[in-house]
Amino acid sequence: MRRDPRYDILFEPVKIGPVTSRNRFYQVPHCNGLGHVYPRAEARQRGIKAEGGWGVVSTQEVEIHPSSEWSPYIEGRLWDAGDMKRLRLMVDAVHEHGALAAIEITHNGHASGNRYSRLPAMGVSGIMVDGYEPSQAYAMTRRDIAKVREWHRQAALRARDIGFDIVYVYAAHDLALPFHFLSRRHNQRTDEYGGSLENRVRLLRELVQDSKAAVGDRCGIALRFTVHEMAGEDRITAQDEGREVVQMLAELPDLWDVNVSDWSYDSASARFSEEGFQEPYTAFVKQVTNKPVVGVGRFTSPETMVSQIERGVLDLIGAARPSIADPFLPAKIERGRADDIRECIGCNICASGDMTVRPIRCTQNPTVGEEYRRDWHPQKIAAATSDAALLMVGGGAAGLEAAMSLGQRGYRVTVAEAAAQFGGRVWRESNLPGLSSWRRVLDYRLAQLQKLPNVQSFTHSELEAEQILQFANELQAAHIVLATGAKWTRDGVGRSHHKPLPHDDSVRLLTPDDIMRAPTSTPKSVADAKPAADGALAMRGEVMIYDDDHYYMASVIAEKLVAGGAQVTLVTPAAEVAVWTRNTLEQEHIENRLRELGVTIIERHKIHQVRAKQVTLQHVSGKQTCALTPAAVVMVTARRPCESLYWALHAQQSQWATAGVQSVSRIGDCLAPGTIAAAVYEGHRFAREFDGAVEVDAVPFKREYVEV
Ligand code: ADP
Ligand code: SF4
């Protein structure tokens, strides 16, 4: 199909110094937990983005010297010539598909702990190392500054020799050394690098000049700069020093890559930001420089992208997350298939990969991180190897992803969903405050299913074991897949309580499912056999939320209950509310929002018992206790798989042959409750591996060995 002419402007080439991007789609640097440890995986992932049409594909941060390294976090590494071979794999993969390759070389001063190299951290001033490391950086001497400049120059030369087309100077996110020099918060120097802005900008200016002199004839020099810090003492803002720095260096780099800081604001989740949210801060840059400007804002809609260009906000559409969720976003727009874009939902599961030192994952794109080791391609999947048919019971994230991918392979699939609509927990949760974009997980898959004549799907179809066998027989579906999800438990069993809590029924115990008002039909397979509680009860009076889940659920339930007029107390055994959301860059934002809403937060306490209308809490140290008297408690603890169908079908195994059934499997939350990303991944994995030869004991993916 021909692309919509309204989007033509997105496909205009853009000159970046001596090189030219074929279009305006620019994958800005982003971490992926692959980097120097998994160089083939890194290369394959970036190569696929080039294949998907991005004009520029960047690395993540690339360390230039062991005096600033991120271990155990996995970034890029260009300490010496020995690292060039690994990075060349990525450059070749990107060039193979006609994109420019960019490298973000960086020294991070006091931001990196040097846990592997054990070299003392050096910083703009003698300040403490980031991240609660029990160490301090020493204040750099002029000689140290000269050394950093030389390491940066050497790294730029090596980058050019590897074949990179764009070399970065990184001064963003409060992470990079030249930003620390700029910052009044960090810079306490009294020499020519401290004091006035002219002095504080000196190192940044020198690094850009050094890079231009070293490689500027062959490579575009990009300056990644935070124009506005959203928080922090003595912050840089777009109204003052952020703007002044752009004015001072306006024509020096070949490209301005601008954003807001820190990372939790730059990659703000959908709960805390809309598409294009950075525009109010970055829009001034194009007024100040004639050089091209790239910026981000979780852009997934071609209309918004066109508007950014036409209104003179940006020259290049920067993307990290939208390129992760759909590496083929530009190609889809170009081929007139914008409706097929798998839009980022802004959940930040991708960031959690980096934060927890594991390869990247994505809720929308199950193939990300698996491009090399499992040879998964986001747009290609092996054709069916038989004419087998499948019956999928449950149309949530796992069921829909499996049905879609099996259907794309060419298998005949029937999906039976008990509820009045598809989506399972995704649909339910997308009705909670701030989570509406999560419905994209469902929308994308339902739209793709409509294009597959070999997949039929039904709502209002709650099935029991006998019906499943009967239905499978009628459909000649030899393979039954249960994707029936999980339900929140009411009895308190979770991380802190391994047995049901002592409870005398004097306080109403609710679950998130109650609050979300589960779909019209409650599956019989749910382990909690209690009738659906009256969610409205919890909307009035004092409600306690007990969070032993530590992810987002307790906090969004709190928001919903406050909106309904309840006074909410959130109790957690952890040291801070929603502690796992540190990994999705949301924790501080969630805590701030809850405090603004007047939610009382009690940390480091677990429930001791619920008796005589009182909830007794106990400090996790086991010492003190205190009591609350809420009208209801919402237990956000463990979830139990809805697996009774699985066991019922296995109990009837003698009837399988008569029904023509060969296998009964379970996937997603019905097997092991986890994130939506995990359910999508498991659905996808099932589809990829279905009908394949299973080698028991074989490692299911390729590994990258260190050469010995
Ligand atoms: P997952 O994340 O693993 O996909 P979900 O809870 O999101 O899990 O989805 C499970 C879906 O399965 C829900 O929409 C639920 O209504 C449906 N379901 C559960 N039991 C049955 C059943 N017996 N028959 C048909 N659908 C069912
Ligand atoms: Fe977007 Fe979530 Fe995927 Fe990250 S994990 S790219 S935020 S959908």
Side-chain angles (χ1 to χ4, degrees):
M1 259 197 294
R2 167 96 184 95
R3 73 168 177 249
D4 187 326
R6 284 178 302 156
Y7 307 147
D8 285 354
I9 197 169
L10 299 173
F11 294 89
E12 291 171 353
V14 180
K15 201 165 164 354
I16 303 168
V19 296
T20 300
S21 171
R22 60 183 163 182
N23 59 32
R24 297 184 188 269
F25 294 96
Y26 193 114
Q27 183 246 286
V28 295
H30 74 74
C31 315
N32 61 8
L34 302 172
H36 69 91
V37 177
Y38 306 106
R40 290 187 182 84
E42 169 86 27
R44 183 83 181 116
Q45 182 173 101
R46 307 286 182 189
I48 281 177
K49 297 206 204 206
E51 186 190 348
W54 297 86
V56 179
V57 178
S58 308
T59 61
Q60 53 212 301
E61 282 184 274
V62 176
E63 305 159 353
I64 59 171
H65 192 264
S67 63
S68 170
E69 57 87 15
W70 277 120
S71 305
Y73 301 101
I74 301 168
E75 310 295 331
R77 193 161 272 180
L78 186 49
W79 292 356
D80 61 20
D83 292 316
M84 292 169 72
K85 203 164 89 180
R86 278 186 285 278
L87 284 160
R88 190 168 286 128
L89 293 176
M90 177 246 176
V91 171
D92 291 347
V94 169
H95 283 171
E96 193 187 323
H97 296 285
L100 299 178
I103 181 168
E104 185 183 58
I105 53 174
T106 176
H107 193 289
N108 288 320
H110 75 269
S112 52
N114 300 343
R115 299 177 184 96
Y116 169 69
S117 72
R118 299 180 68 175
L119 295 178
M122 57 168 83
V124 57
S125 307
I127 43 183
M128 300 190 87
V129 166
D130 279 359
Y132 301 114
E133 281 287 318
S135 55
Q136 286 180 217
Y138 67 89
M140 293 166 71
T141 61
R142 286 195 182 87
R143 210 171 112 74
D144 293 322
I145 294 172
K147 282 198 283 191
V148 168
R149 285 179 62 185
E150 181 54 18
W151 296 331
H152 199 276
R153 200 180 73 84
Q154 289 292 342
L157 288 168
R158 290 191 181 109
R160 178 200 63 191
D161 293 345
I162 293 167
F164 280 101
D165 309 285
I166 295 173
V167 174
Y168 265 85
V169 175
Y170 180 45
H173 299 126
D174 199 21
L175 291 175
L177 193 60
F179 190 83
H180 299 152
F181 270 72
L182 262 171
S183 164
R184 285 168 298 188
R185 181 166 64 249
H186 301 306
N187 187 335
Q188 278 114 46
R189 302 180 73 91
T190 51
D191 61 6
E192 68 275 24
Y193 287 93
S196 68
L197 182 60
E198 187 59 49
N199 280 357
R200 283 181 280 123
V201 86
R202 190 177 307 278
L203 178 62
L204 181 55
R205 186 194 293 279
E206 287 171 346
L207 290 175
V208 179
Q209 285 169 337
D210 292 347
S211 305
K212 286 213 97 164
V215 301
D217 57 332
R218 286 251 315 274
C219 304
I221 306 301
L223 173 48
R224 195 175 198 198
F225 177 56
T226 286
V227 295
H228 189 91
E229 290 179 285
M230 306 290 276
E233 201 186 326
D234 289 329
R235 64 198 173 106
I236 282 174
T237 76
Q239 288 76 45
D240 50 45
E241 292 197 338
R243 185 183 189 100
E244 287 165 48
V245 170
V246 182
Q247 282 166 339
M248 289 161 93
L249 306 182
E251 306 304 319
L252 202 56
D254 297 315
L255 171 78
W256 283 91
D257 176 346
V258 290
N259 60 20
V260 299
S261 179
D262 57 17
W263 187 23
S264 76
Y265 288 99
D266 188 19
S267 288
S269 71
R271 250 179 110 176
F272 299 98
S273 67
E274 298 293 326
E275 182 176 22
F277 63 96
Q278 302 208 10
E279 183 180 330
Y281 308 100
T282 56
F284 80 88
V285 179
K286 257 189 73 62
Q287 316 303 319
V288 178
T289 176
N290 294 310
K291 296 298 165 98
V293 178
V294 59
V296 293
R298 229 177 47 252
F299 297 117
T300 57
S301 131
E303 282 81 17
T304 312
M305 298 175 196
V306 167
S307 158
Q308 293 280 309
I309 310 293
E310 286 182 344
R311 287 185 298 112
V313 181
L314 298 172
D315 296 297
L316 293 135
I317 301 301
R321 290 172 291 176
S323 78
I324 295 165
D326 197 339
F328 274 64
L329 182 149
K332 287 178 181 173
I333 298 174
E334 180 153 38
R335 293 171 199 161
R337 292 180 43 212
D339 289 350
D340 289 336
I341 293 173
R342 198 168 39 222
E343 288 183 285
C344 168
I345 67 166
C347 62
N348 282 3
I349 279 291
C350 48
S352 79
D354 186 54
M355 297 294 285
T356 56
V357 199
R358 45 184 146 170
I360 191 166
R361 57 215 57 212
C362 168
T363 302
Q364 278 285 56
N365 177 7
T367 66
V368 80
E370 302 292 356
E371 300 90 342
Y372 169 77
R373 71 174 187 176
R374 286 188 186 268
D375 201 16
W376 287 1
H377 186 285
Q379 293 303 120
K380 296 176 198 158
I381 191 161
T385 53
S386 72
D387 59 1
L390 300 96
L391 172 59
M392 187 75 55
V393 184
L400 290 179
E401 172 65 29
M404 179 189 76
S405 302
L406 287 161
Q408 286 165 343
R409 291 190 62 187
Y411 291 105
R412 209 154 42 80
V413 188
T414 302
V415 185
E417 164 56 50
Q421 64 290 306
F422 292 105
R425 69 179 282 204
V426 170
W427 183 82
R428 289 194 294 276
E429 294 181 20
S430 68
N431 294 310
L432 290 169
L435 303 186
S436 60
S437 65
W438 294 24
R439 203 170 294 183
R440 292 172 174 186
V441 173
L442 170 62
D443 294 344
Y444 169 73
R445 285 162 182 85
L446 288 179
Q448 298 302 308
L449 283 179
Q450 294 223 316
K451 298 182 187 183
L452 294 167
N454 49 331
V455 181
Q456 51 174 350
S457 22
F458 304 95
T459 55
H460 303 88
S461 304
E462 181 176 346
L463 298 181
E464 296 188 27
E466 292 77 19
Q467 293 167 304
I468 289 175
L469 291 178
Q470 196 187 330
F471 202 19
N473 190 16
E474 284 165 21
L475 294 165
Q476 296 186 324
H479 304 279
I480 295 164
V481 187
L482 302 172
T484 45
K487 290 284 164 197
W488 292 93
T489 55
R490 201 180 299 278
D491 57 12
V493 171
R495 281 199 170 78
S496 307
H497 302 279
H498 301 210
K499 295 184 187 140
L501 283 170
H503 174 230
D504 67 358
D505 279 332
S506 59
V507 180
R508 188 83 183 263
L509 298 187
L510 300 171
T511 73
D513 291 321
D514 298 328
I515 304 297
M516 290 187 279
R517 292 178 181 280
T520 44
S521 148
T522 307
K524 292 217 171 69
S525 52
V526 179
D528 291 321
K530 282 192 181 184
D534 176 10
L537 175 75
M539 309 296 276
R540 297 186 295 273
E542 289 191 28
V543 182
M544 176 185 138
I545 299 175
Y546 183 58
D547 183 14
D548 205 13
D549 169 56
H550 309 289
Y551 192 15
Y552 57 88
M553 181 54 76
S555 64
V556 288
I557 294 278
E559 283 193 50
K560 182 173 165 86
L561 295 182
V562 169
Q567 268 178 286
V568 176
T569 300
L570 196 155
V571 178
T572 174
E576 58 189 12
V577 65
V579 65
W580 200 80
T581 64
R582 281 201 163 265
N583 301 315
T584 55
L585 316 176
E586 292 174 294
Q587 196 281 328
E588 287 177 23
H589 305 285
I590 289 174
E591 182 157 352
N592 287 344
R593 178 168 289 176
L594 293 184
R595 291 192 188 280
E596 277 162 25
L597 290 173
V599 174
T600 305
I601 297 171
I602 301 179
E603 290 113 346
R604 294 187 66 74
H605 279 77
K606 52 186 194 173
I607 297 178
H608 175 58
Q609 61 177 18
V610 184
R611 281 197 205 290
K613 299 195 170 178
Q614 274 202 343
V615 182
T616 313
L617 304 178
Q618 186 172 44
H619 191 270
V620 288
S621 65
K623 300 260 160 51
Q624 305 103 345
T625 57
C626 59
L628 299 178
T629 51
V633 180
V634 185
M635 305 297 281
V636 188
T637 52
R639 287 183 295 146
R640 281 212 186 95
C642 302
E643 58 186 6
S644 56
L645 276 180
Y646 181 79
W647 299 116
L649 284 166
H650 276 82
Q652 298 176 28
Q653 205 158 352
S654 56
Q655 296 167 37
W656 289 13
T658 325
V661 169
Q662 289 170 21
S663 73
V664 175
S665 320
R666 54 189 167 150
I667 57 172
D669 290 343
C670 157
L671 175 65
T675 58
I676 297 169
V680 170
Y681 179 86
E682 283 304 301
H684 192 80
R685 188 164 73 86
F686 181 86
R688 290 258 180 190
E689 293 175 352
F690 178 71
D691 236 2
V694 180
E695 270 185 66
V696 183
D697 289 345
V699 176
F701 44 75
K702 283 184 287 211
R703 287 189 281 172
E704 295 194 54
Y705 293 101
V706 177
E707 287 158 33
V708 286

